[in-house]
Amino acid sequence: MAELDESGTAGPSLYTGRGDSGRTTFGRHGDVAKTDVRVAAYEECDEANAQVSVVMAVGNLPIGITSTLASVQNDLFDLVADLAVPLDAAEPATARIQESHLTRLERAVDHFEPDAADLSGRVLPGGTVAASLLYQARAVVRRAERAVWVAVEAHPAVVNPLCARYLNRLSTLLFVLARGANAEHGDVQWVPEASALAMDQEDGTDPAADPATLA
């Protein structure tokens, strides 16, 4: 993690050496361990933003979706700037996640939902390159959300819970976009216990007719 100045943005020095002891200056939270849950939440959100950039770079998505994801990237920078400054800081943060951030995501979900063929959650992640990358981004965002909730629970007075709620909405948007990216080519449906059923067929065994399974 780059050292952060008091505004929550990276400072000019790329190698200060201050982090070699396992500690870092984390925004206006001051000197903390690199294993601190607030730092972990920041880093997970930074990774989520990087993953969204991969979707945009190689997903070959329509301009409307790419524009939406570009807005999401800016939001995620707002989010890490928020995490870097305690809620009770004397000076205001450069950016805070607000309800309006969530509202925009909800409107984006409503906008793209008609393009999604199946929202049941009973499809396997994958399909087109774009859908696969969107699924991967969603998984990273979900992990980031969990990390932020851990930070909120540990430091409720200084970590903004709207950051976690934003990530929850974002994971929904990415799921909808993944569904839409597969709409033309179709999905692979989840078949419960498919491998076990295939083995039974290969062995010529019908579990329902086996007395041992009925005991």
Side-chain angles (χ1 to χ4, degrees), residues 4-213:
L4 300 177
D5 64 23
E6 290 188 352
S7 68
T9 57
S13 178
L14 296 179
Y15 50 93
T16 64
R18 292 197 299 271
D20 291 348
S21 64
R23 301 189 69 81
T24 187
T25 302
F26 179 48
R28 286 190 228 161
H29 294 273
D31 180 73
V32 299
K34 289 189 173 183
T35 54
D36 189 287
V37 293
R38 293 166 294 182
V39 176
Y42 178 100
E43 294 291 8
E44 296 285 3
C45 294
D46 187 37
E47 182 181 353
N49 205 345
Q51 188 62 52
V52 172
S53 76
V54 174
V55 178
M56 295 171 62
V58 299
N60 195 29
L61 290 161
I63 186 63
I65 294 177
T66 302
S67 297
T68 297
L69 293 178
S71 177
V72 164
Q73 282 206 290
N74 198 81
D75 288 352
L76 288 172
F77 220 92
D78 287 347
L79 194 151
V80 295
D82 188 331
L83 292 175
V85 180
L87 285 173
D88 59 359
E91 297 295 325
T94 304
R96 291 285 187 202
I97 293 297
Q98 305 173 40
E99 287 286 352
S100 56
H101 285 85
L102 279 69
T103 300
R104 285 199 70 193
L105 283 187
E106 290 167 356
R107 290 178 180 174
V109 170
D110 292 341
H111 175 76
F112 290 111
E113 185 176 352
D115 298 329
D118 184 350
L119 295 173
S120 68
R122 295 177 66 89
V123 294
L124 301 182
T128 63
V129 171
S132 299
L133 292 171
L134 285 161
Y135 274 125
Q136 187 175 38
R138 177 178 180 265
V140 174
V141 167
R142 294 288 280 182
R143 188 173 74 236
E145 180 196 347
R146 293 192 297 272
V148 173
W149 278 124
V150 170
V152 170
E153 291 173 3
H155 302 278
V158 300
V159 181
N160 185 1
L162 284 175
C163 292
R165 290 176 55 197
Y166 177 90
L167 294 167
N168 187 35
R169 298 294 190 282
L170 178 56
S171 69
T172 299
L173 174 61
L174 293 171
F175 178 73
V176 167
L177 293 178
R179 301 271 32 78
N182 273 347
E184 182 178 349
H185 300 283
D187 301 301
V188 179
Q189 295 290 325
W190 171 51
V191 180
E193 300 182 351
S195 296
L197 293 172
M199 282 297 298
D200 292 336
Q201 292 175 357
E202 290 177 9
D203 294 341
T205 302
D206 181 358
D210 185 351
T213 65

